[in-house]
Amino acid sequence: MDDREGSFVAVRRISQGLERGRVYNSSSAEGVPGSAAWLGRGLSCVCAQRRDSDTNSTFDLTPAQEECLQSLQNRIDVAYDSTIPLHQEALRDLWKLAFPEEELHGLISEQWKEMGWQGKDPSTDFRGGGFISLENLLYFARNFQKSFQDLLRKQVGDRSVWEYPFAVAGINLTFMLIQMLDLEAVKPRTVVGATFLKFLSENESAFDLLYCIAFKLMDQQWLSMRASYMEFNTVMKSTRRQLERELMLEDIMHLEDLPSYALLSQ
């Protein structure tokens, strides 16, 4: 198992909207059968899916694409470090964007559970996606505030009694996209990965934008499948398949052309 894969904590839905102080860990899941720490383990089968035919080929890149890929890989390589002031400030900014009406008492606080972190110290969860996963969440909150708040507070749709935690799900989506797009390879070994690099060479924020699309698509899949936390792995697989299909459509010239991009305006 990749050591960056985290565990997952179910959040019980009491009423519509985010219920303050009602985030449960695996020791307080009120007798729900099965382990709550299932998502990280499940991602090994969601993300590490590559057809044999994909491993035997690579796609040549233009100099501009090589530069963009290297820049994105540099971001991916940055681990979250709770001793770095820039990383601390980024985490504080995320809180302000998520809960502008509520003062944060500290970078280690029970308050973080309200956002869907597994414990009172979010830094322990970032092993699943590194600093880029925090950057993804910040980009989402700054550029699509309504969608961000809808997902954070679970305000749309007929929700499950046991919901996915927003923040930890976001980290796992970052990890899924890195694997789906084969971004840690020197050159892309899949058509999907090569296609994405065309978008990246035109828009340096393409990965962050695709992350926002993926988050909204994942939530739509969650609702349409009437999923609960034990089905999250299945939801992630469905989300990945849909993204791959959309990226391969012939008439897609920009990420904004993806059918699922429209979800961000709902």
Side-chain angles (χ1 to χ4, degrees):
M1 183 194 307
D2 190 300
D3 60 7
R4 293 183 302 172
E5 296 172 15
S7 59
F8 191 90
V9 182
V11 177
R12 187 173 183 188
R13 293 280 302 170
I14 305 300
S15 60
Q16 196 73 354
L18 187 65
E19 189 73 15
R20 300 285 188 193
R22 299 293 299 201
V23 178
Y24 292 77
N25 59 32
S26 58
S27 63
S28 61
E30 295 189 351
V32 174
S35 170
W38 49 268
L39 179 58
R41 290 195 298 271
L43 274 179
S44 61
C45 64
V46 174
C47 300
Q49 296 178 10
R50 183 178 294 121
R51 293 180 295 273
D52 290 340
S53 59
D54 292 332
T55 61
N56 297 322
S57 61
T58 58
F59 294 82
D60 291 331
L61 304 178
T62 66
Q65 289 172 345
E66 288 182 353
E67 182 178 353
C68 290
L69 176 59
Q70 183 61 58
S71 178
L72 182 54
Q73 288 174 335
N74 290 342
R75 291 178 62 194
I76 292 170
D77 287 341
V78 177
Y80 180 84
D81 187 338
S82 60
T83 68
I84 297 178
L86 177 65
H87 292 196
Q88 296 172 0
E89 191 60 31
L91 196 55
R92 291 191 185 96
D93 287 344
L94 180 63
W95 178 268
K96 293 175 185 177
L97 290 164
F99 302 114
E101 74 289 350
E102 183 177 346
E103 181 181 357
L104 179 65
H105 300 318
L107 292 180
I108 298 178
S109 170
E110 293 290 335
Q111 290 173 284
W112 288 108
K113 294 180 182 179
E114 300 174 24
M115 198 186 295
W117 300 100
Q118 295 186 89
K120 61 184 181 180
D121 184 1
S123 67
T124 62
D125 289 324
F126 280 114
R127 67 187 183 276
F131 186 62
I132 193 174
S133 60
L134 176 53
E135 292 179 315
N136 290 157
L137 285 167
L138 283 168
Y139 183 92
F140 194 9
R142 288 167 175 158
N143 292 276
F144 302 99
Q145 178 65 220
K146 182 181 183 301
S147 290
F148 179 90
Q149 288 290 336
D150 285 347
L151 298 189
L152 170 66
R153 301 174 187 269
K154 306 297 190 296
Q155 291 180 325
V156 176
D158 184 13
R159 316 299 308 197
S160 168
V161 173
W162 288 94
E163 279 286 325
Y164 63 85
F166 175 80
V168 179
I171 287 180
N172 281 286
L173 278 166
T174 297
F175 184 80
M176 183 270 283
L177 288 175
I178 291 171
Q179 297 297 304
M180 183 187 86
L181 300 173
D182 202 22
L183 293 178
E184 294 179 303
V186 174
K187 291 184 178 181
R189 293 169 291 184
T190 67
V191 177
V192 169
T195 300
F196 170 75
L197 287 182
K198 296 178 182 178
F199 300 136
L200 184 64
S201 64
E202 298 171 356
N203 179 2
E204 62 181 10
S205 299
F207 184 79
D208 303 270
L209 178 57
L210 186 60
Y211 171 87
C212 299
I213 297 170
F215 215 141
K216 282 289 287 187
L217 177 59
M218 181 275 291
D219 191 73
Q220 183 195 59
Q221 299 278 339
W222 174 273
L223 291 173
S224 66
M225 296 169 66
R226 297 183 177 275
S228 186
Y229 74 102
M230 290 300 290
E231 289 82 46
F232 194 88
N233 191 45
T234 301
V235 173
M236 289 284 284
K237 289 180 179 178
S238 178
T239 301
R240 173 172 174 161
R241 287 194 297 268
Q242 182 62 29
L243 280 177
E244 290 175 331
R245 284 194 292 266
E246 293 189 15
L247 285 168
M248 294 302 295
L249 293 173
E250 292 184 359
D251 58 346
I252 301 301
M253 303 301 295
H254 308 282
L255 287 178
E256 291 84 353
D257 298 328
L258 295 177
S260 291
Y261 177 80
L263 295 173
L264 289 169
S265 63
Q266 296 179 2

